Amino acid sequence: MKPKAVFNWSSGKDSALALYKVQKENNFEISSLLTSINTEYQRISMHGVSVSLLEQQATALDIPLIKMEIPKEPSMEEYRQIMTNTMNTIQSQGITHSVFGDIFLEDLRKYREEQLRSIGMEAVFPLWKKNTSALIHEFLNLGFKTIVTCVNETYLDKSFAGRIINKDFIKDLPENVDPCGENGEFHTFTFDGPIFNFPILFELGETVKKTYPKPKESDSDSDEDYIFWFCDLISKNPAS
């Protein structure tokens, strides 16, 4: 019997490719998707995608969805408590592994592993240490389709928000931007590909600017806030 795993689903391209690889290797039974939701806006944290589109993804993937509700600006202690409660509930269902789409952020991997180890679960990283340029080309060659929903203005200007990722997009990226946006340069919504039973239909909405205060421990010399551009995606599914 294969071990059961929960998949940490962000709605974006890295999650989609990691899920594809896990399903292809067939070493785990993916019991559910786990996604962090901003309680106030009912959108996926950082990606800015509506819960409606997230739910359509889960339906298209034919995997049950667990929505972890996070307050607008939680303290680290609040976040840890919500995460601990959620993972304890998941573990009680016989789930022993948690799958992530992280590629090379060492500190984040260490944090995830430590938190899971404390409750007797194990982390799995299907994309770990893979070349990000090779990964994004593999993603496109497999037939996945994804759109940029959020950009960090520190790295990319507003014009990149709302663009479909293709070879032209990759060519247009500045040299200091990771092709997979692994440093938080941009976030995406994947709407079609080999793991989907049907494509997710949407149209482009407004692109809005949001600012966030930099952490006090930030090493940046600038006192300016972080600026992000979010492109809203509006579901075209009549039932949504």
Side-chain angles (χ1 to χ4, degrees):
M1 182 180 294
K2 292 179 292 187
K4 292 184 178 180
V6 61
F7 192 97
N8 293 267
W9 181 258
S10 70
S11 81
K13 57 181 176 36
D14 297 341
S15 281
L17 185 56
L19 179 58
Y20 169 84
K21 288 182 176 294
V22 169
Q23 290 181 326
K24 186 176 181 180
E25 292 169 1
N26 200 29
N27 292 325
F28 297 96
E29 176 189 337
I30 303 299
S31 62
S32 56
L33 306 174
L34 174 62
T35 306
S36 296
I37 302 297
N38 182 300
T39 302
E40 180 173 348
Y41 299 114
Q42 286 298 292
R43 291 179 179 269
I44 301 172
S45 301
M46 285 314 299
H47 289 237
V49 175
S50 69
V51 167
S52 171
L53 288 172
L54 168 65
E55 291 172 342
Q56 289 175 51
Q57 278 186 324
T59 300
L61 294 167
D62 196 24
I63 302 176
L65 174 66
I66 300 172
K67 291 175 283 188
M68 185 171 69
E69 302 271 349
I70 304 292
K72 182 179 178 182
E73 295 180 3
S75 66
M76 280 304 297
E77 183 54 38
E78 285 178 311
Y79 179 82
R80 286 195 194 98
Q81 191 60 55
I82 293 170
M83 176 62 79
T84 298
N85 292 343
T86 301
M87 295 311 296
N88 281 336
T89 299
I90 289 172
Q91 186 205 38
S92 70
Q93 298 169 359
I95 298 170
T96 57
H97 292 72
S98 187
V99 186
F100 300 90
D102 302 317
I103 304 172
F104 57 67
L105 300 180
E106 297 279 0
D107 289 346
L108 183 57
R109 173 170 179 156
K110 181 180 179 181
Y111 173 79
R112 297 196 196 286
E113 288 177 329
E114 289 175 349
Q115 295 301 307
L116 288 168
R117 193 179 300 119
S118 69
I119 60 171
M121 291 183 67
E122 185 176 341
V124 179
F125 300 88
L127 307 183
W128 190 248
K129 293 297 184 181
K130 304 292 185 182
N131 179 280
T132 51
S133 180
L135 283 177
I136 191 62
H137 284 95
E138 178 184 5
F139 177 86
L140 295 176
N141 291 337
L142 285 168
F144 281 105
K145 296 179 181 180
T146 197
I147 185 169
V148 176
T149 59
C150 168
V151 298
N152 183 337
E153 196 178 71
T154 302
Y155 303 97
L156 296 170
D157 62 48
K158 176 184 177 181
S159 68
F160 283 87
R163 284 186 61 176
I164 300 290
I165 292 187
N166 52 26
K167 292 182 179 179
D168 288 336
F169 175 91
I170 297 169
K171 289 178 182 177
D172 290 342
L173 290 176
E175 290 186 3
N176 66 325
V177 173
D178 181 79
C180 286
E182 179 68 354
N183 296 304
E185 299 99 326
F186 60 91
H187 299 288
T188 58
F189 174 77
T190 300
F191 56 91
D192 200 6
I195 58 177
F196 290 85
N197 292 317
F198 56 85
I200 312 303
L201 304 178
F202 62 88
E203 59 187 21
L204 296 183
E206 184 181 7
T207 296
V208 298
K209 176 182 178 181
K210 291 187 178 293
T211 60
Y212 299 90
K214 288 186 176 178
K216 293 181 180 179
E217 64 272 15
S218 172
D219 294 330
S220 173
D221 294 330
S222 173
D223 292 330
E224 297 179 1
D225 292 337
Y226 288 121
I227 297 174
F228 290 86
W229 291 96
F230 289 87
C231 179
D232 192 19
L233 305 181
I234 303 170
S235 174
K236 292 177 66 175
N237 184 336
S240 66

